[in-house]
Amino acid sequence: MAKWTEMQVFVESVRQGSFSAAGRQLDLSPSAVSKLLTRLETRLGVRLLNRTTRMLSLTEGGQIYFNHCVDILAEIDDVEDALTGLVQEPAGTLRINSTHGFAKHQLLPIMPMFQARYPKIKLEFQLSGQAVDLIAEGVDLAIRLGELKDTSLVARKLGESERLVCASPHYIDSKGIPQKPSDLLEHNCLRLSTNEIFNHWQFTSHQSGETKVETFNVTGSFVTDNVDGLHEYALLGGGIARLSSFMINKDIEAGRLIPLLTNYGIPQQKINAVYPHRKHLSAKVRVFLDYLTEQFAAKPPWS
């Protein structure tokens, strides 16, 4: 029990970045956290953490120990979840990482029904949009858009979303409709500052039996670090945006946004729920995956 407690305190201190924050999570005083970590380092004979007044950082040995502790604690949780799931309803904190846009438009609207079905599950959302290390950050499940880069994760496909070039009726009335992709160079296109690749808009067309692919680095007088900002500014008539259909399907149905260049193909975006590969899938993650599949996989509501 002592070793398990030391591991838990160590891992939480690294995740939270301070003894006081770790103590709040574990219901311990900062001094108790500090004493436990000092005892751990003494027992191991290795310095695990570099301590300053502002932050904690891992030593080389601390990083190795942290990686193993995360796996061990996850295995303990998984085994307990697998056993309790046989006789109890799913419970506990479910930590979910997602982009803000997908969460706002698709995940959050269906969460009240999920929690009504599983009232003992507490939801904790991370919506920074950063692709965090799920194991190191203690995240149970993440929503990933596009091609998956981390092959160590298990993925369940939820669907695909079109990327649509669109503008408001007000913008179209004042600036006209681009007839071909190159016309976008004469329009005010809304840009994202956090990922330059986002501003490289790709189109495909079929000519004389051949597929032609063109990519345009669009320009414009409005840039933001938030996709929701692009969405809102497009609705206000500020310019042409390229946005995922899961964000704007209702706007298109209502006529608030008009899809443009629909005769050209635009690459679709895969949407996956991903989680760390473990022998035992906890009950809370299993029912959440099943719920997402039920809501999205058969026919995504944004299609």
Side-chain angles (χ1 to χ4, degrees), residues 80-293:
E80 291 185 349
D81 284 339
L83 293 176
T84 57
L86 296 175
V87 294
Q88 298 177 0
E89 62 182 302
T93 299
L94 183 65
R95 294 182 178 88
I96 303 159
N97 178 274
S98 174
T99 64
H100 182 270
F102 190 81
K104 175 183 176 181
H105 295 278
Q106 299 298 330
L107 281 183
L108 296 183
I110 64 173
M111 287 302 97
M113 188 166 66
F114 174 77
Q115 289 198 291
R117 188 180 297 182
Y118 303 104
K120 292 186 178 181
I121 293 180
K122 176 184 176 183
L123 297 176
E124 183 179 309
F125 273 86
Q126 297 179 355
L127 302 181
S128 66
Q130 300 298 319
V132 300
D133 184 324
L134 302 191
I135 295 177
E137 297 293 332
V139 173
D140 295 297
L141 180 141
I143 304 298
R144 293 283 185 263
L145 308 181
E147 296 296 329
L148 295 176
K149 297 179 181 179
D150 190 343
T151 57
S152 68
L153 299 175
V154 182
R156 181 180 295 188
K157 185 177 178 181
L158 300 179
E160 293 186 347
S161 177
E162 291 181 279
R163 285 173 169 166
L164 302 175
V165 174
C166 60
S168 72
H170 174 73
Y171 180 88
I172 291 172
D173 289 342
S174 61
K175 303 296 183 181
I177 298 177
Q179 300 298 319
K180 56 186 183 298
S182 60
D183 292 344
L184 292 171
L185 301 178
E186 306 300 322
H187 282 266
N188 189 40
C189 295
L190 310 184
R191 292 167 49 87
L192 191 69
S193 62
T194 55
N195 188 350
E196 184 57 31
I197 296 299
F198 182 91
N199 305 313
H200 297 170
W201 296 4
Q202 188 178 97
F203 300 87
T204 60
S205 60
H206 302 283
Q207 302 175 9
S208 303
E210 295 184 357
T211 299
K212 182 180 180 181
V213 180
E214 296 179 284
T215 301
F216 297 89
N217 185 12
V218 298
T219 60
S221 61
F222 180 86
V223 62
T224 179
D225 63 353
N226 187 286
V227 176
D228 274 332
L230 298 182
H231 180 205
E232 293 297 328
Y233 206 60
L235 288 170
L236 293 170
I240 296 176
R242 188 185 67 166
L243 297 166
S244 297
S245 59
F246 66 74
M247 292 182 66
I248 61 173
N249 61 315
K250 293 181 180 178
D251 296 315
I252 291 175
E253 290 174 1
R256 293 186 292 266
L257 290 174
I258 308 298
L260 307 172
L261 301 170
T262 55
N263 291 332
Y264 293 83
I266 302 176
Q268 291 195 329
Q269 192 175 42
K270 294 179 181 178
I271 302 175
N272 288 290
V274 301
Y275 55 94
H277 179 69
R278 293 174 182 163
K279 294 179 182 178
H280 304 285
L281 188 62
S282 66
K284 62 187 178 184
V285 175
R286 176 175 48 78
V287 296
F288 189 69
L289 278 168
D290 290 343
Y291 183 72
L292 293 182
T293 302

